Amino acid sequence: MSGPSGDLPFDTTTLLVGGRWRAASGGRTLPLANPSDGSALARIARGGAEDVDAAVNAAQAALDGDWGRLTAAERGRLLAAMGRKVLERVDELARLEALDVGKPLKQGRADAIALARYLEFYGGAADKLHGQTLPYLNGYTALTLREPHGVTGHIVPWNYPMQIIGRSVGAALAMGNACVLKPAEEACLSALAFARLADEAGLPAGALNLVPGLGEEAGAALSAHAGVQHLSFTGSVATGRRVQAAAAQNTIPVTLELGGKSPQIVFADADLDAALPFLVNAGIQNAGQTCSAASRILVERPVFDTVVARMAERYRALRVGPALADLDVGPLISARQHEIVAHYLALARDGGLAIAAQGEVVADAPAGGWYVRPTLVANVDAQHALAQQEIFGPVQVVIAFDGEAEALQIANGTPYGLVAGVWTRDGGRQFRMARGLKCGQVFVNNYGAGGGVELPFGGVKQSGHGREKGFEALYGFSTLKTVAIQHG
Ligand code: NAD
């Protein structure tokens, strides 16, 4: 990686089009802040419609050129090489992510390792998605071919850039698409680093193009571009709707990975020792800024007080501080996110809700950082705003229930349907709950264990549609052509 920018390992102010790093047209840039102290971290390119247009053209040229000529096995080998490059640079990537997103170093490391694992997984899968031959009329042979869409657009948020790039760009490249990536304006350093590593690994020019910039400029231009044949969007419901409306104008498919209000449901027969770490970690990981955060904990009444008391004990031990101090929780991403979380905490206080426990911000946390105390709120009505709306901060509500039917009714009773967790030793109930929950992923007696690179992921209702991760993503990032040959 070349061209230092402050104490960062490369020039952060350029974008990547057709294998060439250059300034945004008009030379415009945007500031990037360090969430741990509010200081200026770097400047990034402020790509606009012209840059997006150039990136889409470069992607198409790659499809018509070197990239498009590679065999599936050759693409797989390249992805595997990219994965190895990422593994060699885990510490550097983790530090960048910590500085940029504010996440503790250990989470940055986990994200970098997950990125490598996606590349390894999709590298191995690239030549294993087959078409079919179909029984048809006499004198005919009919078959299906899996083909890339062509140019794919990837709009990603700031909370897990590396993981989301791995699952979306990794799968798209495996299927032979050429990608235009629009990272978030709040955090995009690991995306810039990733594109450099891909180049070092030998990815042909134009197979991956990168245009940082504002959502309403670069993002909107990418989602409306007539040269794009598929869009993958991860972010908020409101923006997802805009992206889908833009995609509709070009009648192209779109994968929407949106928000959630995911429950973990604890029955009285659960192994509480096993459940406790998952209940709390899934709420406070990345300061609660996780689409699949378990922001609602539903507890069967006989064990309600015990679970609240044991979660509270863990909450009181949580330490919040700068990302590089690598504590339990880092700062929120921005002043805006801080305001949103403060609004919900004020709602809890003003509405007389019971704050069961809070973690502590360490005394020497820089004053300019966007820190918030992780907060556990007990005895919340299932219809309360805190139990219905995505907060995107380290705030969990605990809701009591009686029996399976009520658990399902509460769990399914939000506009979202992303993930759910169920804790019970009863085998029959495990299946009944797994079938009854309206969401994209159910974890029984775990929650997100192992990271789930292999497991298809996505939502129902306002959490979105389409699936990424796992082998399933390869169907989404390809299209099917049917061929019927009359041969007498
Ligand atoms: P956001 O929708 O504001 O931004 C996401 C991306 O969209 C950014 O790159 C942004 O620049 C871009 N964007 C903004 N306006 C746009 C427009 N008009 N056209 C095209 N692109 C535009 O989301 P956010 O607040 O940054 O991210 C948090 C949200 O993302 C939460 O709701 C969270 O649950 C969700 N999320 C979902 C998943 C998932 O896999 N389901 C994963 C991570 C985050």
mmCIF file of all heavy atoms in Angstrom, residues 95-125:
data_model
loop_
_atom_site.group_PDB
_atom_site.id
_atom_site.type_symbol
_atom_site.label_atom_id
_atom_site.label_comp_id
_atom_site.label_asym_id
_atom_site.label_seq_id
_atom_site.Cartn_x
_atom_site.Cartn_y
_atom_site.Cartn_z
ATOM 1 N N ARG A 95 -6.746 -2.167 12.859
ATOM 2 C CA ARG A 95 -6.452 -0.831 13.373
ATOM 3 C C ARG A 95 -7.207 0.231 12.572
ATOM 4 O O ARG A 95 -7.782 1.168 13.140
ATOM 5 C CB ARG A 95 -4.936 -0.582 13.332
ATOM 6 C CG ARG A 95 -4.537 0.770 13.877
ATOM 7 C CD ARG A 95 -3.030 0.929 14.026
ATOM 8 N NE ARG A 95 -2.730 2.308 14.397
ATOM 9 C CZ ARG A 95 -2.636 3.312 13.531
ATOM 10 N NH1 ARG A 95 -2.802 3.077 12.239
ATOM 11 N NH2 ARG A 95 -2.373 4.536 13.948
ATOM 12 N N LEU A 96 -7.212 0.075 11.251
ATOM 13 C CA LEU A 96 -7.954 1.025 10.415
ATOM 14 C C LEU A 96 -9.433 1.055 10.814
ATOM 15 O O LEU A 96 -10.041 2.110 10.942
ATOM 16 C CB LEU A 96 -7.882 0.603 8.942
ATOM 17 C CG LEU A 96 -6.665 0.997 8.131
ATOM 18 C CD1 LEU A 96 -6.841 0.485 6.701
ATOM 19 C CD2 LEU A 96 -6.478 2.505 8.122
ATOM 20 N N GLU A 97 -9.995 -0.141 10.996
ATOM 21 C CA GLU A 97 -11.424 -0.224 11.324
ATOM 22 C C GLU A 97 -11.694 0.373 12.704
ATOM 23 O O GLU A 97 -12.722 1.028 12.923
ATOM 24 C CB GLU A 97 -11.864 -1.696 11.275
ATOM 25 C CG GLU A 97 -13.344 -1.887 11.093
ATOM 26 C CD GLU A 97 -13.800 -1.701 9.650
ATOM 27 O OE1 GLU A 97 -13.275 -0.798 8.978
ATOM 28 O OE2 GLU A 97 -14.675 -2.451 9.204
ATOM 29 N N ALA A 98 -10.761 0.160 13.634
ATOM 30 C CA ALA A 98 -10.919 0.719 14.979
ATOM 31 C C ALA A 98 -10.908 2.252 14.918
ATOM 32 O O ALA A 98 -11.747 2.924 15.521
ATOM 33 C CB ALA A 98 -9.818 0.204 15.896
ATOM 34 N N LEU A 99 -9.956 2.803 14.147
ATOM 35 C CA LEU A 99 -9.861 4.258 14.035
ATOM 36 C C LEU A 99 -11.093 4.845 13.353
ATOM 37 O O LEU A 99 -11.593 5.903 13.731
ATOM 38 C CB LEU A 99 -8.620 4.638 13.208
ATOM 39 C CG LEU A 99 -7.270 4.411 13.867
ATOM 40 C CD1 LEU A 99 -6.145 4.626 12.846
ATOM 41 C CD2 LEU A 99 -7.080 5.360 15.058
ATOM 42 N N ASP A 100 -11.581 4.144 12.357
ATOM 43 C CA ASP A 100 -12.600 4.689 11.464
ATOM 44 C C ASP A 100 -14.007 4.474 12.011
ATOM 45 O O ASP A 100 -14.843 5.374 12.010
ATOM 46 C CB ASP A 100 -12.442 3.970 10.112
ATOM 47 C CG ASP A 100 -13.033 4.731 8.951
ATOM 48 O OD1 ASP A 100 -13.410 5.895 9.148
ATOM 49 O OD2 ASP A 100 -13.108 4.169 7.850
ATOM 50 N N VAL A 101 -14.289 3.246 12.484
ATOM 51 C CA VAL A 101 -15.640 2.898 12.949
ATOM 52 C C VAL A 101 -15.753 3.067 14.468
ATOM 53 O O VAL A 101 -16.854 3.186 14.996
ATOM 54 C CB VAL A 101 -15.996 1.442 12.536
ATOM 55 C CG1 VAL A 101 -17.407 1.076 12.941
ATOM 56 C CG2 VAL A 101 -15.825 1.250 11.031
ATOM 57 N N GLY A 102 -14.614 3.053 15.155
ATOM 58 C CA GLY A 102 -14.650 3.174 16.613
ATOM 59 C C GLY A 102 -14.845 1.843 17.308
ATOM 60 O O GLY A 102 -15.098 1.790 18.512
ATOM 61 N N LYS A 103 -14.707 0.744 16.568
ATOM 62 C CA LYS A 103 -14.946 -0.546 17.231
ATOM 63 C C LYS A 103 -13.674 -1.034 17.919
ATOM 64 O O LYS A 103 -12.564 -0.773 17.438
ATOM 65 C CB LYS A 103 -15.487 -1.586 16.268
ATOM 66 C CG LYS A 103 -14.655 -1.908 15.070
ATOM 67 C CD LYS A 103 -15.337 -2.962 14.192
ATOM 68 C CE LYS A 103 -16.657 -2.550 13.618
ATOM 69 N NZ LYS A 103 -17.268 -3.529 12.718
ATOM 70 N N PRO A 104 -13.828 -1.716 19.059
ATOM 71 C CA PRO A 104 -12.647 -2.244 19.746
ATOM 72 C C PRO A 104 -11.803 -3.101 18.794
ATOM 73 O O PRO A 104 -12.343 -3.769 17.909
ATOM 74 C CB PRO A 104 -13.243 -3.101 20.864
ATOM 75 C CG PRO A 104 -14.599 -2.504 21.110
ATOM 76 C CD PRO A 104 -15.073 -2.020 19.769
ATOM 77 N N LEU A 105 -10.479 -3.067 19.001
ATOM 78 C CA LEU A 105 -9.572 -3.773 18.100
ATOM 79 C C LEU A 105 -9.941 -5.227 17.884
ATOM 80 O O LEU A 105 -9.843 -5.747 16.779
ATOM 81 C CB LEU A 105 -8.151 -3.709 18.686
ATOM 82 C CG LEU A 105 -7.329 -2.476 18.343
ATOM 83 C CD1 LEU A 105 -6.017 -2.515 19.129
ATOM 84 C CD2 LEU A 105 -7.048 -2.406 16.844
ATOM 85 N N LYS A 106 -10.395 -5.896 18.980
ATOM 86 C CA LYS A 106 -10.678 -7.332 18.823
ATOM 87 C C LYS A 106 -11.832 -7.549 17.836
ATOM 88 O O LYS A 106 -11.837 -8.523 17.091
ATOM 89 C CB LYS A 106 -10.960 -8.015 20.166
ATOM 90 C CG LYS A 106 -12.010 -7.357 21.049
ATOM 91 C CD LYS A 106 -12.123 -8.149 22.344
ATOM 92 C CE LYS A 106 -12.590 -7.384 23.556
ATOM 93 N NZ LYS A 106 -12.128 -6.045 23.841
ATOM 94 N N GLN A 107 -12.777 -6.602 17.797
ATOM 95 C CA GLN A 107 -13.878 -6.726 16.833
ATOM 96 C C GLN A 107 -13.368 -6.441 15.421
ATOM 97 O O GLN A 107 -13.767 -7.107 14.459
ATOM 98 C CB GLN A 107 -15.011 -5.764 17.198
ATOM 99 C CG GLN A 107 -16.223 -5.871 16.287
ATOM 100 C CD GLN A 107 -16.890 -7.242 16.335
ATOM 101 O OE1 GLN A 107 -17.095 -7.780 17.420
ATOM 102 N NE2 GLN A 107 -17.196 -7.811 15.180
ATOM 103 N N GLY A 108 -12.459 -5.473 15.302
ATOM 104 C CA GLY A 108 -11.857 -5.185 13.996
ATOM 105 C C GLY A 108 -11.108 -6.403 13.470
ATOM 106 O O GLY A 108 -11.189 -6.743 12.285
ATOM 107 N N ARG A 109 -10.406 -7.073 14.371
ATOM 108 C CA ARG A 109 -9.683 -8.299 13.969
ATOM 109 C C ARG A 109 -10.667 -9.357 13.501
ATOM 110 O O ARG A 109 -10.461 -10.019 12.475
ATOM 111 C CB ARG A 109 -8.894 -8.865 15.158
ATOM 112 C CG ARG A 109 -7.570 -8.198 15.423
ATOM 113 C CD ARG A 109 -6.820 -8.955 16.533
ATOM 114 N NE ARG A 109 -6.420 -10.297 16.106
ATOM 115 C CZ ARG A 109 -5.367 -10.563 15.354
ATOM 116 N NH1 ARG A 109 -4.583 -9.592 14.957
ATOM 117 N NH2 ARG A 109 -5.073 -11.801 15.005
ATOM 118 N N ALA A 110 -11.736 -9.541 14.274
ATOM 119 C CA ALA A 110 -12.735 -10.557 13.917
ATOM 120 C C ALA A 110 -13.331 -10.246 12.537
ATOM 121 O O ALA A 110 -13.565 -11.152 11.724
ATOM 122 C CB ALA A 110 -13.838 -10.613 14.976
ATOM 123 N N ASP A 111 -13.560 -8.960 12.262
ATOM 124 C CA ASP A 111 -14.137 -8.570 10.975
ATOM 125 C C ASP A 111 -13.164 -8.862 9.827
ATOM 126 O O ASP A 111 -13.571 -9.316 8.754
ATOM 127 C CB ASP A 111 -14.483 -7.075 10.968
ATOM 128 C CG ASP A 111 -15.672 -6.747 11.858
ATOM 129 O OD1 ASP A 111 -16.210 -7.662 12.507
ATOM 130 O OD2 ASP A 111 -16.058 -5.563 11.910
ATOM 131 N N ALA A 112 -11.876 -8.568 10.055
ATOM 132 C CA ALA A 112 -10.878 -8.815 8.998
ATOM 133 C C ALA A 112 -10.776 -10.317 8.725
ATOM 134 O O ALA A 112 -10.695 -10.743 7.562
ATOM 135 C CB ALA A 112 -9.523 -8.243 9.413
ATOM 136 N N ILE A 113 -10.812 -11.107 9.791
ATOM 137 C CA ILE A 113 -10.719 -12.566 9.608
ATOM 138 C C ILE A 113 -11.971 -13.067 8.888
ATOM 139 O O ILE A 113 -11.905 -13.951 8.022
ATOM 140 C CB ILE A 113 -10.482 -13.255 10.971
ATOM 141 C CG1 ILE A 113 -9.067 -12.916 11.464
ATOM 142 C CG2 ILE A 113 -10.684 -14.770 10.876
ATOM 143 C CD1 ILE A 113 -8.785 -13.237 12.903
ATOM 144 N N ALA A 114 -13.125 -12.474 9.199
ATOM 145 C CA ALA A 114 -14.364 -12.859 8.504
ATOM 146 C C ALA A 114 -14.270 -12.496 7.019
ATOM 147 O O ALA A 114 -14.693 -13.273 6.156
ATOM 148 C CB ALA A 114 -15.572 -12.180 9.137
ATOM 149 N N LEU A 115 -13.691 -11.328 6.720
ATOM 150 C CA LEU A 115 -13.518 -10.934 5.309
ATOM 151 C C LEU A 115 -12.677 -11.990 4.581
ATOM 152 O O LEU A 115 -13.028 -12.430 3.477
ATOM 153 C CB LEU A 115 -12.856 -9.549 5.230
ATOM 154 C CG LEU A 115 -12.335 -9.096 3.869
ATOM 155 C CD1 LEU A 115 -13.441 -9.052 2.816
ATOM 156 C CD2 LEU A 115 -11.676 -7.707 3.972
ATOM 157 N N ALA A 116 -11.588 -12.399 5.212
ATOM 158 C CA ALA A 116 -10.730 -13.421 4.592
ATOM 159 C C ALA A 116 -11.505 -14.725 4.395
ATOM 160 O O ALA A 116 -11.406 -15.387 3.365
ATOM 161 C CB ALA A 116 -9.502 -13.668 5.464
ATOM 162 N N ARG A 117 -12.318 -15.062 5.385
ATOM 163 C CA ARG A 117 -13.083 -16.314 5.310
ATOM 164 C C ARG A 117 -14.123 -16.252 4.175
ATOM 165 O O ARG A 117 -14.360 -17.243 3.480
ATOM 166 C CB ARG A 117 -13.752 -16.544 6.674
ATOM 167 C CG ARG A 117 -14.675 -17.719 6.739
ATOM 168 C CD ARG A 117 -13.962 -19.063 6.752
ATOM 169 N NE ARG A 117 -14.918 -20.142 6.581
ATOM 170 C CZ ARG A 117 -14.961 -20.966 5.529
ATOM 171 N NH1 ARG A 117 -14.059 -20.879 4.572
ATOM 172 N NH2 ARG A 117 -15.871 -21.902 5.438
ATOM 173 N N TYR A 118 -14.753 -15.083 3.978
ATOM 174 C CA TYR A 118 -15.696 -14.947 2.850
ATOM 175 C C TYR A 118 -14.965 -15.182 1.534
ATOM 176 O O TYR A 118 -15.465 -15.862 0.636
ATOM 177 C CB TYR A 118 -16.321 -13.551 2.828
ATOM 178 C CG TYR A 118 -17.496 -13.390 3.766
ATOM 179 C CD1 TYR A 118 -17.439 -12.551 4.868
ATOM 180 C CD2 TYR A 118 -18.685 -14.087 3.536
ATOM 181 C CE1 TYR A 118 -18.520 -12.409 5.720
ATOM 182 C CE2 TYR A 118 -19.776 -13.952 4.378
ATOM 183 C CZ TYR A 118 -19.678 -13.110 5.468
ATOM 184 O OH TYR A 118 -20.747 -12.977 6.308
ATOM 185 N N LEU A 119 -13.775 -14.603 1.413
ATOM 186 C CA LEU A 119 -13.039 -14.724 0.149
ATOM 187 C C LEU A 119 -12.620 -16.173 -0.081
ATOM 188 O O LEU A 119 -12.685 -16.684 -1.201
ATOM 189 C CB LEU A 119 -11.833 -13.784 0.173
ATOM 190 C CG LEU A 119 -12.222 -12.296 0.228
ATOM 191 C CD1 LEU A 119 -11.027 -11.430 0.592
ATOM 192 C CD2 LEU A 119 -12.819 -11.838 -1.109
ATOM 193 N N GLU A 120 -12.240 -16.831 1.019
ATOM 194 C CA GLU A 120 -11.860 -18.246 0.934
ATOM 195 C C GLU A 120 -13.091 -19.081 0.538
ATOM 196 O O GLU A 120 -13.041 -19.917 -0.349
ATOM 197 C CB GLU A 120 -11.362 -18.645 2.328
ATOM 198 C CG GLU A 120 -10.908 -20.038 2.531
ATOM 199 C CD GLU A 120 -10.495 -20.235 3.994
ATOM 200 O OE1 GLU A 120 -11.240 -19.815 4.908
ATOM 201 O OE2 GLU A 120 -9.429 -20.797 4.230
ATOM 202 N N PHE A 121 -14.226 -18.803 1.197
ATOM 203 C CA PHE A 121 -15.463 -19.564 0.937
ATOM 204 C C PHE A 121 -15.910 -19.368 -0.507
ATOM 205 O O PHE A 121 -16.169 -20.325 -1.242
ATOM 206 C CB PHE A 121 -16.555 -19.102 1.903
ATOM 207 C CG PHE A 121 -17.877 -19.810 1.717
ATOM 208 C CD1 PHE A 121 -18.136 -21.014 2.364
ATOM 209 C CD2 PHE A 121 -18.855 -19.279 0.893
ATOM 210 C CE1 PHE A 121 -19.357 -21.668 2.184
ATOM 211 C CE2 PHE A 121 -20.067 -19.933 0.702
ATOM 212 C CZ PHE A 121 -20.319 -21.129 1.351
ATOM 213 N N TYR A 122 -15.994 -18.108 -0.943
ATOM 214 C CA TYR A 122 -16.490 -17.855 -2.307
ATOM 215 C C TYR A 122 -15.451 -18.226 -3.366
ATOM 216 O O TYR A 122 -15.806 -18.581 -4.488
ATOM 217 C CB TYR A 122 -16.974 -16.405 -2.447
ATOM 218 C CG TYR A 122 -18.290 -16.226 -1.717
ATOM 219 C CD1 TYR A 122 -18.429 -15.322 -0.670
ATOM 220 C CD2 TYR A 122 -19.388 -17.019 -2.056
ATOM 221 C CE1 TYR A 122 -19.629 -15.208 0.010
ATOM 222 C CE2 TYR A 122 -20.592 -16.903 -1.378
ATOM 223 C CZ TYR A 122 -20.701 -16.001 -0.347
ATOM 224 O OH TYR A 122 -21.887 -15.908 0.321
ATOM 225 N N GLY A 123 -14.160 -18.172 -2.985
ATOM 226 C CA GLY A 123 -13.134 -18.671 -3.896
ATOM 227 C C GLY A 123 -13.352 -20.153 -4.157
ATOM 228 O O GLY A 123 -13.311 -20.624 -5.303
ATOM 229 N N GLY A 124 -13.618 -20.903 -3.098
ATOM 230 C CA GLY A 124 -13.839 -22.347 -3.232
ATOM 231 C C GLY A 124 -15.130 -22.678 -3.959
ATOM 232 O O GLY A 124 -15.265 -23.725 -4.588
ATOM 233 N N ALA A 125 -16.111 -21.759 -3.883
ATOM 234 C CA ALA A 125 -17.436 -22.044 -4.457
ATOM 235 C C ALA A 125 -17.539 -21.639 -5.921
ATOM 236 O O ALA A 125 -18.463 -22.059 -6.614
ATOM 237 C CB ALA A 125 -18.503 -21.299 -3.651
#
